[in-house]
Amino acid sequence: MEIIHVSAECYPVAKAGGLGDVVGALPKYQRAEGHVAKVVMPMYRTKFLFENQFEVVHKGRTHLHNFWFDYTVIKEKTNRLGFDLYLVDILGLLDREKIYGYGDDTERFIAFQIAVLDWINAWQHIPDVIHVHDHHTALIPFMLQHCYAYREKLGGIATVLTIHNAQYQGQTGMDKTVLIPEWDLYKRGLLEWAGALNPLACGIRCAWRVTTVSPTYLEEMRASAAGLEALLEYEKGKCSGILNGIDPVVWDPLTDVYFEDHYSIDTVEEGKQKSKLLLCQRFNLDPRKPLITFIGRLVGEKGADLIPQAIEDSFYYIGRKMNFLILGSGFPSVENRLQAMRDLSRGDYNTFIGYDEGLSHLIYAGADFILMPSRVEPCGLNQLYALRYGTVPVVRNTGGLHDTVIDFGDKNGYGIRFNHATVGDMTHGIWRSVELYNQPQKLYEIRQRMMALDFSWQASVRAYLDLYERMRKGE
Ligand code: ADP
Ligand code: GLC
């Protein structure tokens, strides 16, 4: 089969979160199963672009309403990512340093989707599956089936939409529908949800199949999906939950390229201790105390606003028996409070505001616990990386966290789970972490259990391939 993934992110080319990790790994393991898997993404001006060799494979000219533009498709020459990587360059629109966050993101991503289809339309053959990810590429199923320019040749291609996060839907005014290449106006209803052009809702309606990144998240979305509950209920027949995997080559404490003190399941205690010492030196923390961390976007869905108070309450109620180290960026109010709290540290609190891939790897290695008080967590990769690095995840019992973390108080358990995204529940999770840290034999057994778990892509790749095959057979 030939599978084309179209995405806004792909590690290591450009990553803002888990979407990048997934699109950087899934195609590699589909390829390993003998399929042709390609990734097409915008050509941002990132480090990867300047450090690698590319060849031009296509040049085209098309339009975004009355704005005509030239685009170029380039391909990474060596296949070093384990799949064919194509970048689409549109001068003035995609050639920016950041992935998102610009006032014209709607125009940027619609132009990207148009260029992708214009290019595929010029191919001599037709791919089997187009797999789109999140709202940035979710108009493609509609465009394939309803835009005059593509429907004749490409309208029969099977499409899958994976929802990594339904909190972000790409809503914009219905006036922006003029940007989509000519389509039958009576199809307007497919584009509209709650009075707005809603790319994610449109993708849910038009894709042949819809997947979410964990089974529990799909279940939860029936009750809470940022306004899309009724639509998901209506379309439930074509929806399924497939848990993400992790790339065990990139995420391996024995070979990780971002730190030096490598370790395996047999040397986990010494290995982690060395990375912990490095972190404690760098961030002025006490290595004798448990190191409790958070890595992620400092936004409401991650429960980031609860962190400052939970840290203050922990120091107050439990005592200064632990260190906290927070890595992330997001809401300015949370960033400011986390930064201000540094003044109160007694060698037991620090924060790094920003995005730092290398530091995140060192933290997975050197931390004892990782906090995930998420209000919404479609899958979550942090806990999976933590498990592989022998770091105990302390998570709210939701979405993918529910599917991957079993509380150590339960049979075969290894993590710490709490039920509510509240300061109180989180502080209780921190208290349990400190108690566990003070039982070294128990912690050792848990680390052994965590590191023996397998969250690689194998099972999920099989599930996606089955899904594609069923679509192709018309099932
Ligand atoms: P989401 O995609 O919702 O942000 P995930 O848990 O799926 O959450 O994935 C987050 C990914 O982004 C992980 O690889 C995590 O290590 C990484 N990450 C998040 N914030 C940062 C940061 N500030 N610095 C480095 N890596 C980060
Ligand atoms: C999203 C979700 C996260 C998931 C990731 C990759 O960003 O918030 O839970 O792990 O996508 O699928």
Side-chain angles (χ1 to χ4, degrees), residues 11 249-260 262 358 361 389:
Y11 176 84
V249 177
V250 176
W251 296 93
D252 183 351
L254 201 51
T255 54
D256 194 307
V257 295
Y258 291 105
F259 60 88
E260 282 171 9
H262 293 138
H361 284 245
Y389 283 60

Side-chain angles (χ1 to χ4, degrees), residues 107-150:
E107 284 76 6
R108 296 173 70 226
F109 286 106
I110 293 182
F112 168 62
Q113 294 172 85
I114 292 172
V116 172
L117 295 190
D118 193 74
W119 171 49
I120 296 178
N121 216 11
W123 292 6
Q124 303 291 324
H125 72 284
I126 290 176
D128 298 293
V129 178
I130 296 189
H131 190 150
V132 301
H133 298 265
D134 276 352
H135 73 85
H136 327 98
T137 53
L139 289 173
I140 284 181
F142 173 88
M143 285 163 56
L144 284 171
Q145 289 155 37
H146 302 296
C147 291
Y148 305 155
Y150 319 119

Side-chain angles (χ1 to χ4, degrees), residues 17-19 22 134 164-165 213 244 297 301-302 376-381:
L19 169 64
V22 170
D134 276 352
H164 295 262
N165 198 335
V213 288
N244 285 333
R297 296 180 291 116
E301 71 194 79
K302 298 284 178 195
V376 182
E377 197 60 82
C379 176
L381 297 174

Side-chain angles (χ1 to χ4, degrees), residues 134-424:
D134 276 352
H135 73 85
H136 327 98
T137 53
L139 289 173
I140 284 181
F142 173 88
M143 285 163 56
L144 284 171
Q145 289 155 37
H146 302 296
C147 291
Y148 305 155
Y150 319 119
R151 68 182 183 191
E152 199 167 319
K153 184 165 167 195
L154 309 179
I157 302 177
T159 50
V160 177
L161 164 68
T162 294
I163 304 177
H164 295 262
N165 198 335
Q167 300 298 112
Y168 303 91
Q169 300 170 6
Q171 297 101 321
T172 183
M174 280 303 281
D175 54 327
K176 300 277 186 196
T177 54
V178 296
L179 301 175
I180 301 171
E182 294 77 358
W183 43 280
D184 288 323
L185 284 180
Y186 70 91
K187 300 286 182 196
R188 187 183 154 94
L190 292 172
L191 295 165
E192 181 180 339
W193 185 257
L197 165 59
N198 186 317
L200 191 69
C202 176
I204 294 170
R205 287 186 175 117
C206 297
W208 290 27
R209 292 288 188 282
V210 175
T211 65
T212 61
V213 288
S214 72
T216 295
Y217 182 52
L218 179 62
E219 191 56 33
E220 287 174 355
M221 283 204 299
R222 298 176 66 182
S224 168
L228 299 181
E229 302 78 11
L231 178 60
L232 285 158
E233 181 60 23
Y234 185 73
E235 298 286 6
K236 67 181 174 198
K238 65 179 182 189
C239 298
S240 57
I242 302 179
L243 193 68
N244 285 333
I246 62 170
D247 189 337
V249 177
V250 176
W251 296 93
D252 183 351
L254 201 51
T255 54
D256 194 307
V257 295
Y258 291 105
F259 60 88
E260 282 171 9
D261 296 310
H262 293 138
Y263 58 93
S264 67
I265 190 164
D266 299 325
T267 53
V268 51
E269 303 297 316
E270 309 92 88
K272 285 185 77 65
Q273 189 61 21
K274 287 183 189 158
S275 290
K276 181 174 176 180
L277 278 175
L278 277 182
L279 283 170
C280 289
Q281 274 161 8
R282 177 166 165 194
F283 291 99
N284 188 28
L285 301 168
D286 181 349
R288 289 165 303 182
K289 295 178 180 172
L291 179 54
I292 303 177
T293 59
F294 172 92
I295 299 172
R297 296 180 291 116
L298 299 173
V299 296
E301 71 194 79
K302 298 284 178 195
D305 49 308
L306 307 170
I307 299 173
Q309 194 60 49
I311 292 176
E312 287 187 4
D313 282 10
S314 297
F315 282 148
Y316 186 78
Y317 292 111
I318 305 169
R320 302 198 80 116
K321 296 180 184 167
M322 69 307 262
N323 297 300
F324 291 100
L325 177 60
I326 313 297
L327 165 62
S329 61
F331 286 166
S333 57
V334 179
E335 288 184 357
N336 292 342
R337 188 153 170 216
L338 287 171
Q339 258 164 336
M341 282 167 56
R342 277 207 288 232
D343 295 341
L344 306 173
S345 170
R346 295 185 209 156
D348 48 17
Y349 169 81
N350 214 330
T351 185
F352 181 100
I353 300 297
Y355 188 95
D356 187 331
E357 188 73 27
L359 178 58
S360 76
H361 284 245
L362 185 63
I363 294 180
Y364 288 116
D368 298 301
F369 299 90
I370 188 153
L371 293 169
M372 297 183 75
S374 307
R375 293 192 173 86
V376 182
E377 197 60 82
C379 176
L381 297 174
N382 295 19
Q383 81 281 13
L384 303 182
Y385 300 143
L387 292 170
R388 189 149 162 82
Y389 283 60
T391 304
V392 181
V394 184
V395 306
R396 176 165 175 248
N397 186 8
T398 187
L401 299 172
H402 173 83
D403 292 344
T404 55
V405 178
I406 305 174
D407 192 277
F408 78 87
D410 294 333
K411 192 162 176 254
N412 296 328
Y414 40 82
I416 293 178
R417 258 176 31 173
F418 54 91
N419 282 331
H420 305 288
T422 57
V423 170

